[in-house]
Amino acid sequence: MSLRSEICARLLLPLIVTLLTVLAVFKLSGTDLHFAKYCAESTLVYAAVLLFPFIIRTALWGIFQFIVALQMCSIVSTGIYIVPLTVMNLSSHNAIGVKAQIWLAFIFAIVFFPSFFAIFSTKNVKVKKNIYMAAGSVVGVLMITLAFTQNSVLKNTKHLAKAVLHDVYFVPKQNAAIREQYRKPAVVSQSQLETAGADYFSPDTPIKNVIVIFVEGFSAEVVDYKNHSSRNLTPTYDQLYKNSLAFDHYYNHTYATYRGLRGQLYSLWQYKAGFYPDVGNQGFGQMDHEKIHKLTDSGLVSVPEILNQHHFNTYFLSNELRTGNMTSYLKTFAFTRVYGADDLGWTGDPPRSDKFAFQSLKQVLTEYKSDKPFFIGMYTAGTHHGVDSPDLTYGDGSNSYYNKFHNLDHWLGDFIAWFKTSPYYDNTLLVITSDHGVVIPTPEYRRSFHQKTERSNFEIPLILYGKMVKPQIVDAKGTTSISLAPTLLDVLGIRKTEQYFLGCSLFETQCDERSSRLMHHFAAGTDSFRISANERGKYIISPEKEDAEFQKIYRFTN
């Protein structure tokens, strides 16, 4: 080997080592992150550190490789880069078990040490001053650009540092009293599932996975079983109410979709909605993606974020394309992956049909190969206000409400038939609910479903279905969907983790006074209602002046 070849080999050795070790980790974890981006990033960082004297070069490379090694541990453990909750829960590292800790220590060692020690091969490399100035300028500009590139180690670390600094310094400084007021050390204080779980679920069939289907704008009164109708509009739902653990008198706590999805998976109220027709580009569905991420970076904790810490794969199937605002918004929930409709083969205009939505869910389940438990959420948009069914119709097809709800019911039934024959039926809980009830009860809707008031009916389905479920109807007693997040974690047995949920599990026996009050409250922006039972036991929805606490809640959650 010539002297020049030997020098080149020594120069390239640290870069080659880090690329090979990181490639091995990416392959091992089966992550969806792009290895090509890491190649570009590590090459630029390495080019930059080479411009410095050896001691500084070694220190900078060591810091970078230390960060990379920590991020690779996170990728192996959770499938994503480090999130703020990981840092906050470092004191609870023993919860993952000794074997997992040893495995992560091994991953750290094979990523960090070979790459770090390889830099010593460049000890005698010196850069001339004129080259330093020219190359340094170019590399500096490229690295600044890279720091803002999605899925780069530098951007994630920058965002993590900012979020942790925000969470551990600025937020306590600015809003310590409010934050402490809503912090909860446990999801559930005392659960019926701990003392009488066999009344609801078979102890012989443990729940490993959860699928949650959020149906667009679906009130309970649409269901024949609930509406005491014999028109055979919703045969699937009718059977589910008989063969599942279904909750009666369960209401949505907010609307519309952007508020409903985040509100249910974080157990909170969100002030800002998706769309404001009269005020341009102020809703989450109208603003640019960077602003969406900025406005939702609250430091609060979602169901998928907690499940990521318990080694779940967490996915969501969006109704929009991968570049859509809804998809970008869902990515702020900390899911391992959010599928755009086009990721699963949708080629039409958004939103995708309900038929395609359930086909996509089958596809994701069929292609799932990991041994990790999973949490999958899916939002169906085919029953949205103003939409008619593109597939099945009901009767002569003249009633668009009947068409779209019957179409949704059919494809849900088709999925359930498939689900029962799949291997997931034995260990997966299927949860069927709604993002919110019917928001705009038009005259046609009120005639179709015999609704007497012009106000939305907030009662929505909450159905738990699976082999392990003991079928029954449970009275939720006017509780709202702010209880969904703690209920899901309670069912999975994850009860002792810190969070900021405003609601309690539906199986909680010692719900605190504040949550007990809030769980019967509906709020959407400045609209406020109270759900309560009258002397005859009938639940009524009464307009209520906005509770002063909601000013605190909106400030806290936004």
Side-chain angles (χ1 to χ4, degrees), residues 10-15 17-18 45-63 65 112-125:
R10 288 185 177 183
L11 278 175
L12 292 175
L13 182 61
L15 181 61
V17 170
T18 189
V45 172
Y46 184 61
V49 301
L50 280 179
L51 298 174
F52 291 91
F54 176 69
I55 294 177
I56 299 176
R57 177 190 311 160
T58 303
L60 292 175
W61 185 246
I63 292 170
Q65 287 304 309
F112 175 74
F113 289 110
S115 302
F116 173 68
F117 286 117
I119 198 70
F120 286 89
S121 66
T122 69
K123 185 174 183 179
N124 297 323
V125 174

Side-chain angles (χ1 to χ4, degrees), residues 35 113 165 193 218 223 303 355 380 464 521:
F35 176 67
F113 289 110
L165 184 65
L193 300 182
F218 195 99
V223 179
V303 169
K355 176 182 179 180
T380 67
L464 279 57
H521 199 103

Side-chain angles (χ1 to χ4, degrees), residues 249-277:
H249 305 127
Y250 175 81
Y251 296 80
N252 64 277
H253 75 285
T254 190
Y255 58 62
T257 302
Y258 282 82
R259 287 177 177 144
L261 293 179
R262 185 169 182 237
Q264 292 187 64
L265 290 174
Y266 281 80
S267 188
L268 54 74
W269 280 274
Q270 174 177 287
Y271 186 82
K272 188 174 285 294
F275 293 90
Y276 293 95

Side-chain angles (χ1 to χ4, degrees), residues 199-489:
D199 292 345
Y200 302 100
F201 301 99
S202 169
D204 300 325
T205 314
I207 300 170
K208 179 182 179 182
N209 314 302
V210 174
I211 300 169
V212 183
I213 298 171
F214 295 96
V215 176
E216 160 61 35
F218 195 99
S219 294
E221 65 191 357
V222 168
V223 179
D224 292 337
Y225 175 84
K226 290 287 291 179
N227 205 18
H228 307 292
S229 170
S230 59
R231 61 182 154 227
N232 200 33
L233 180 70
T234 56
T236 300
Y237 272 95
D238 296 342
Q239 286 300 312
L240 284 171
Y241 269 94
K242 297 173 184 177
N243 301 326
S244 306
L245 173 55
F247 289 88
D248 208 6
H249 305 127
Y250 175 81
Y251 296 80
N252 64 277
H253 75 285
T254 190
Y255 58 62
T257 302
Y258 282 82
R259 287 177 177 144
L261 293 179
R262 185 169 182 237
Q264 292 187 64
L265 290 174
Y266 281 80
S267 188
L268 54 74
W269 280 274
Q270 174 177 287
Y271 186 82
K272 188 174 285 294
F275 293 90
Y276 293 95
D278 301 326
V279 184
N281 301 324
Q282 294 300 307
F284 282 115
Q286 299 163 301
M287 63 184 62
D288 64 73
H289 295 187
E290 191 66 33
K291 192 172 183 181
I292 290 174
H293 284 259
K294 183 178 180 180
L295 288 178
T296 54
D297 187 14
S298 61
L300 300 181
V301 184
S302 66
V303 169
E305 191 166 358
I306 291 171
L307 292 180
N308 288 340
Q309 301 304 309
H310 287 79
H311 310 293
F312 276 68
N313 282 323
T314 55
Y315 303 146
F316 200 97
L317 279 61
S318 172
N319 65 304
E320 292 187 358
L321 306 181
R322 69 172 75 97
T323 56
N325 273 37
M326 173 61 82
T327 306
S328 180
Y329 178 72
L330 288 165
K331 287 179 179 178
T332 69
F333 290 26
F335 286 101
T336 307
R337 179 174 183 181
V338 176
Y339 289 89
D342 47 337
D343 290 324
L344 297 167
W346 179 254
T347 56
D349 294 329
R352 45 100 162 99
S353 69
D354 288 348
K355 176 182 179 180
F356 185 84
F358 285 106
Q359 288 175 342
S360 298
L361 182 54
K362 290 180 193 176
Q363 179 183 338
V364 170
L365 290 169
T366 301
E367 295 175 356
Y368 189 78
K369 303 300 179 186
S370 174
D371 291 330
K372 285 184 178 182
F374 62 73
F375 175 89
I376 299 177
M378 184 177 76
Y379 165 64
T380 67
T383 49
H384 199 283
H385 174 67
V387 173
D388 200 345
S389 169
D391 299 306
L392 301 179
T393 58
Y394 178 83
D396 62 7
S398 61
N399 187 313
S400 63
Y401 286 102
Y402 289 169
N403 290 342
K404 63 185 177 183
F405 290 128
H406 184 64
N407 181 66
L408 175 278
D409 184 88
H410 173 84
W411 294 115
L412 172 61
D414 178 77
F415 173 77
I416 289 174
W418 176 89
F419 176 69
K420 288 183 68 174
T421 62
S422 76
Y424 297 110
Y425 182 64
D426 290 342
N427 60 11
T428 302
L429 181 68
L430 179 63
V431 180
I432 301 152
T433 187
S434 178
D435 60 341
H436 54 78
V438 174
V439 176
I440 307 173
T442 63
E444 183 186 2
Y445 176 86
R446 296 201 303 273
R447 287 193 301 270
S448 299
F449 298 101
H450 311 296
Q451 184 175 334
K452 297 178 181 179
T453 67
E454 295 182 1
R455 191 174 60 240
S456 172
N457 186 337
F458 298 148
E459 187 176 358
I460 60 173
L462 178 61
I463 297 169
L464 279 57
Y465 176 79
K467 185 177 181 180
M468 71 292 296
V469 169
K470 293 189 175 180
Q472 58 192 290
I473 303 290
V474 177
D475 190 352
K477 300 179 180 178
T479 302
T480 67
S481 53
I482 202 168
S483 62
L484 181 67
T487 299
L488 292 174
L489 294 176

